[in-house]
Amino acid sequence: MIVLGIETSCDETSAAVVVDGALKSNIISSQFVHVKYGGVVPELASRAHQQLIVPVVEEALRTAGVEKSQLGGIAVTYGPGLAGALLVGLNFAKALAYALKVPYVGVHHMEAHIFANFIEQPVPQFPFLCLIVSGGHTQLVLVRDFFDRELIGETLDDAAGEAYDKVAKMLGLGFPGGPAVDKLAAGGNAAFVEFPRSFLNGKEFDFSFSGIKTSVLYWLRDYQRSNPGVSFAQQPGLLCDLCASFQAAVVDVLVEKTFRAASQLGVRELAIAGGVSANSELRKRMNALAGERGYRLTIPKAEYCTDNGAMIALTGYLRLKSGVSSDNELNAVPNLAL
Ligand code: KG4
Ligand code: ZN
């Protein structure tokens, strides 16, 4: 079965093709229109998706060497995400499926992030504990089988990616900030500032990242007060140290809580997913600790961590293969729960 996957939940327009579950193409067009606003502007995202969806889908089919007439089904993200952005992909998928007389299926964006771990070998063995860290979500999910899972914990305020983006904005590093902070942190001293680690005693599987974001804000304010007129941007060493210190605090909490949960649940198999799982320090620390403590860990290639059509195509393929498809009534669900 040949399945086309379409992803338009935020600011990436992406399409991919899988043939019997094997990935043949994955085209991602990132929208740079948001950069000057320091964050995703929903209406601009919708308009950009409208302009990009046809060329991105055509490129995905061309790269895979597949004709539209060969498609056996279409998969599309229907939530969570930005309402207008989701509607562009969903309506496109419905119309194309109707024209080609093939089934289509709405895919849960966070479920697809988990299944990004199945795009390439080696894949996780069930049951496994998955840490999902993206721009809008930070969740620990126990995955018992493809469509059998349990939410173990999640953030009570900001998502990890959101904290990265907000701190990057404070530091004047542009948007999205995660990759920029990651890069600068590599050359910095993580012990420069001891930012707070929020372990939330009593809610041991939940997360909180708003405190650390505020701590960075206060640190910058105090620094500016005691160094009036000094531009932070002109001190690259300081910027690297600050990024490394912030990153160490976030990664400490993510890693520690994941291993604590795995130990309590008696799970020996781990995976990570979502945009922040592209982070070099998180990947390094997860790998090191998994090796040390005897856990098996799967991490998707960076390209499959951030938003992509490949994970949607694969998840849709699994759904369609098990006989599940969507009808024309399906609507976009911006706050779709896991
Ligand atoms: O999964 P994703 O592409 O979109 C959502 O579903 O939200 O995640 C985007 C988030 C952004 O907050 C971005 O800053 C963050 O992932 N991110 C990173 C890195 N690459 C992307 N955060 C830290 N380090 C990175 N290398
Ligand atoms: Zn995502």
Side-chain angles (χ1 to χ4, degrees):
M1 186 199 283
I2 305 182
V3 176
L4 169 72
I6 296 170
E7 157 63 35
T8 65
S9 68
C10 195
D11 59 339
E12 250 90 37
T13 313
S14 183
V17 173
V18 296
V19 178
D20 294 331
L23 185 66
K24 299 295 174 190
S25 65
N26 183 37
I27 306 301
I28 303 169
S29 177
S30 300
Q31 304 174 355
F32 295 106
V33 64
H34 309 287
V35 171
K36 68 176 174 219
Y37 301 100
V40 178
V41 183
E43 180 55 28
L44 295 182
S46 312
R47 288 187 215 171
H49 284 308
Q50 281 176 329
Q51 287 171 344
L52 291 165
I53 187 111
V54 172
V56 165
V57 166
E58 280 178 345
E59 183 65 17
L61 292 170
R62 194 168 33 243
T63 306
V66 162
E67 298 290 332
K68 277 197 285 287
S69 58
Q70 292 175 280
L71 291 177
I74 297 169
V76 62
T77 309
Y78 77 105
L82 301 169
L86 289 165
L87 281 171
V88 175
L90 183 59
N91 286 324
F92 182 90
K94 280 184 187 177
L96 186 59
Y98 181 75
L100 298 174
K101 298 185 176 59
V102 295
Y104 90 97
V105 65
V107 168
H108 192 304
H109 182 83
M110 303 316 290
E111 177 176 279
H113 268 305
I114 299 174
F115 291 152
N117 280 285
F118 290 83
I119 294 172
E120 285 184 348
Q121 295 290 337
V123 302
Q125 308 290 312
F126 298 110
F128 64 91
L129 182 67
C130 189
L131 169 72
I132 317 178
V133 268
S134 71
H137 295 77
T138 298
Q139 299 176 317
L140 274 172
V141 182
L142 178 62
V143 188
R144 295 198 186 87
D145 206 336
F146 277 114
F147 303 114
D148 177 7
R149 58 171 181 253
E150 189 183 335
L151 182 64
I152 300 297
E154 62 186 331
T155 185
L156 303 176
D157 40 54
D158 290 357
E162 195 178 348
Y164 264 96
D165 293 339
K166 285 178 178 168
V167 164
K169 199 171 178 178
M170 292 175 208
L171 298 173
L173 299 176
F175 179 84
V181 173
D182 189 2
K183 214 166 160 188
L184 288 169
N189 171 16
F192 178 63
V193 191
E194 178 81 10
F195 286 120
R197 273 82 167 148
S198 194
F199 284 104
L200 299 174
N201 292 331
K203 292 196 167 187
E204 62 255 72
F205 300 151
D206 289 329
F207 299 88
S208 167
F209 293 107
S210 68
I212 179 170
K213 175 195 67 188
T214 312
S215 300
V216 176
L217 185 71
Y218 287 166
W219 191 94
L220 286 170
R221 186 198 57 189
D222 294 347
Y223 180 84
Q224 293 298 350
R225 275 187 189 156
S226 39
N227 299 275
V230 176
S231 163
F232 201 76
Q234 286 162 350
Q235 304 188 66
L238 198 58
L239 202 54
C240 291
D241 289 346
L242 208 56
C243 286
S245 301
F246 162 76
Q247 177 157 285
V250 172
V251 171
D252 264 1
V253 174
L254 291 174
V255 171
E256 186 58 36
K257 282 194 172 248
T258 303
F259 280 92
R260 270 192 212 172
S263 163
Q264 288 199 30
L265 295 166
V267 178
R268 307 301 303 170
E269 187 80 28
L270 300 172
I272 58 175
V276 183
S277 63
N279 183 265
S280 55
E281 183 65 15
L282 179 63
R283 296 166 86 92
K284 197 166 86 190
R285 291 276 302 283
M286 285 296 294
N287 260 320
L289 226 59
E292 226 170 79
R293 299 187 185 177
Y295 286 83
R296 199 169 159 270
L297 170 70
T298 309
I299 304 183
K301 214 155 85 178
E303 177 186 350
Y304 308 135
C305 288
T306 43
D307 290 348
N308 64 86
M311 66 185 193
I312 307 301
L314 180 65
T315 309
Y317 164 76
L318 293 168
R319 288 264 180 210
L320 289 166
K321 202 176 69 159
S322 67
V324 177
S325 62
S326 302
D327 61 28
N328 262 330
E329 301 304 308
L330 183 70
N331 206 345
V333 186
N335 56 358
L336 186 63
L338 195 67

